[in-house]
Amino acid sequence: MKKAGSRIYTFLIFLFLYAPILVLIVFSFNDTETASRTVWSGFSLKWYQKLFQDRLILEALRNTLIIAIAAAVASTVLGTMAAIGINSMKKLPRRIMMNVTNFPMVNPEIVTGVSLMLLFVFAVGLFGGRSLGMGSLIAAHITFCLPYVILSVLPKLRQMDPNLYEAAQDLGCPPVKSFFHVVLPEIMPGIVTGMIMAFTLSIDDFVISYFTSGTTQTLPIYIYSMTRKRISPEINALSTVLFAVVMVLLIVVNTRQAREKRTVDQGEEEAA
């Protein structure tokens, strides 16, 4: 009885969480001429066709992908370097640096967005730039993605045998080559997870993007502008596509983590 009750409660919780998304997905296939969001008129792919024929949406999608890819790559490189540096510190400096790293994650996004906007406006005025745009968006996204990459790479560095790097150098391998052939393969799962997480966070961000975008539009900003007037079912189709992309990325991350856990468990069983 207890198991059945817990399953029912679990089902109700997940239903509460995902029912709005399911409704949105269903009505993205609604065949209606009145742009109704609540009356089902039959199955159709017309709103997906209109979505991919909309020049403004496609331009916003292109901007979003450019920013997400650039931010993910840059934050992954910088975050990996920072994680290696933090991992090599002594206990007290490492604790201080971890607090500094974690602060942007708990800081309200609106505070981060406003502060970055003021910084970029000051920098544009100081160096004679034109306005905020793609550059300020990429810099802002790198800023809030960095802590997540660091937190993804650090556990892998702690799991690695610290003597491997020194052993490789004792065998005649140069420091740079030792890093790429010994350290990098060991921490690669954390790097990949951090990159996927950074990409997902960048695609999804609205608040910080809104304050630092200038005249550049991303998908979240474009969706917000659509909600200020009568919403077309195109937004249902667009939201469904975004949900599907994020879901695929999450499945990839979770699958990798489960596979790594099985590998570690098998290694521990063999060692025992």
Side-chain angles (χ1 to χ4, degrees), residues 37-56:
R37 292 170 289 161
T38 57
V39 179
W40 179 257
S41 304
F43 181 86
S44 175
L45 294 173
K46 62 186 291 186
W47 299 113
Y48 287 89
Q49 293 174 353
K50 289 187 177 182
L51 170 67
F52 291 106
Q53 291 171 357
D54 192 319
R55 182 184 59 83
L56 294 177

Side-chain angles (χ1 to χ4, degrees), residues 157-189:
L157 285 167
R158 290 170 183 164
Q159 292 173 8
M160 187 185 71
D161 187 348
N163 298 318
L164 286 176
Y165 180 67
E166 295 178 1
Q169 294 185 72
D170 290 340
L171 293 172
C173 191
V176 176
K177 196 172 181 180
S178 298
F179 172 78
F180 282 103
H181 287 273
V182 177
V183 178
L184 193 61
E186 291 287 329
I187 64 174
M188 185 57 70

Side-chain angles (χ1 to χ4, degrees), residues 182-202:
V182 177
V183 178
L184 193 61
E186 291 287 329
I187 64 174
M188 185 57 70
I191 294 174
V192 173
T193 301
M195 178 178 286
I196 294 175
M197 190 175 295
F199 182 79
T200 304
L201 290 168
S202 180

Side-chain angles (χ1 to χ4, degrees), residues 16-259:
F16 176 77
L17 288 174
Y18 290 101
I21 298 175
L22 291 175
V23 171
L24 180 144
I25 292 173
V26 169
F27 276 92
S28 70
F29 298 101
N30 190 17
D31 184 12
T32 175
E33 297 296 334
T34 61
S36 173
R37 292 170 289 161
T38 57
V39 179
W40 179 257
S41 304
F43 181 86
S44 175
L45 294 173
K46 62 186 291 186
W47 299 113
Y48 287 89
Q49 293 174 353
K50 289 187 177 182
L51 170 67
F52 291 106
Q53 291 171 357
D54 192 319
R55 182 184 59 83
L56 294 177
I57 289 181
L58 293 179
E59 184 177 342
L61 175 63
R62 184 198 64 190
N63 293 338
T64 301
L65 291 176
I66 291 173
I67 294 165
I69 292 171
V73 172
S75 61
T76 300
V77 173
L78 296 174
T80 302
M81 294 168 61
I84 294 170
I86 292 172
N87 188 62
S88 63
M89 292 179 176
K90 293 183 179 179
K91 190 173 182 180
L92 181 60
R94 185 193 305 160
R95 186 178 298 173
I96 294 172
M97 285 304 301
M98 287 306 301
N99 289 332
V100 172
T101 300
N102 293 336
F103 182 74
M105 298 171 62
V106 298
N107 192 40
E109 280 197 342
I110 191 168
V111 176
T112 303
V114 172
S115 60
L116 286 172
M117 178 191 68
L118 294 175
L119 174 65
F120 293 147
V121 168
F122 174 77
V124 166
L126 184 65
F127 296 105
R130 290 182 292 179
S131 64
L132 303 184
M134 190 71 76
S136 60
L137 274 169
I138 293 174
H141 282 226
I142 292 172
T143 301
F144 70 76
C145 287
L146 260 175
Y148 296 94
V149 177
I150 293 173
L151 290 180
S152 296
V153 177
L154 267 177
K156 296 301 176 185
L157 285 167
R158 290 170 183 164
Q159 292 173 8
M160 187 185 71
D161 187 348
N163 298 318
L164 286 176
Y165 180 67
E166 295 178 1
Q169 294 185 72
D170 290 340
L171 293 172
C173 191
V176 176
K177 196 172 181 180
S178 298
F179 172 78
F180 282 103
H181 287 273
V182 177
V183 178
L184 193 61
E186 291 287 329
I187 64 174
M188 185 57 70
I191 294 174
V192 173
T193 301
M195 178 178 286
I196 294 175
M197 190 175 295
F199 182 79
T200 304
L201 290 168
S202 180
I203 283 181
D204 187 53
D205 180 74
F206 167 72
V207 176
I208 296 176
S209 299
Y210 183 78
F211 285 102
T212 59
S213 61
T215 57
T216 303
Q217 279 203 329
T218 62
L219 272 179
I221 295 174
Y222 185 80
I223 292 173
Y224 173 73
S225 67
M226 290 177 69
T227 61
R228 302 176 69 178
K229 53 186 178 181
R230 181 171 178 80
I231 301 175
S232 167
E234 283 181 56
I235 197 171
N236 294 349
L238 178 58
S239 300
T240 301
V241 172
L242 286 175
F243 175 77
V245 170
V246 172
M247 180 63 71
V248 169
L249 290 175
L250 287 176
I251 290 172
V252 170
V253 171
N254 291 332
T255 303
R256 288 184 62 88
Q257 290 176 345
R259 190 180 303 163

Side-chain angles (χ1 to χ4, degrees), residues 3-15:
K3 279 188 176 180
S6 63
R7 287 174 182 173
I8 292 173
Y9 290 139
T10 303
F11 172 76
L12 291 175
I13 290 170
F14 278 100
L15 181 65

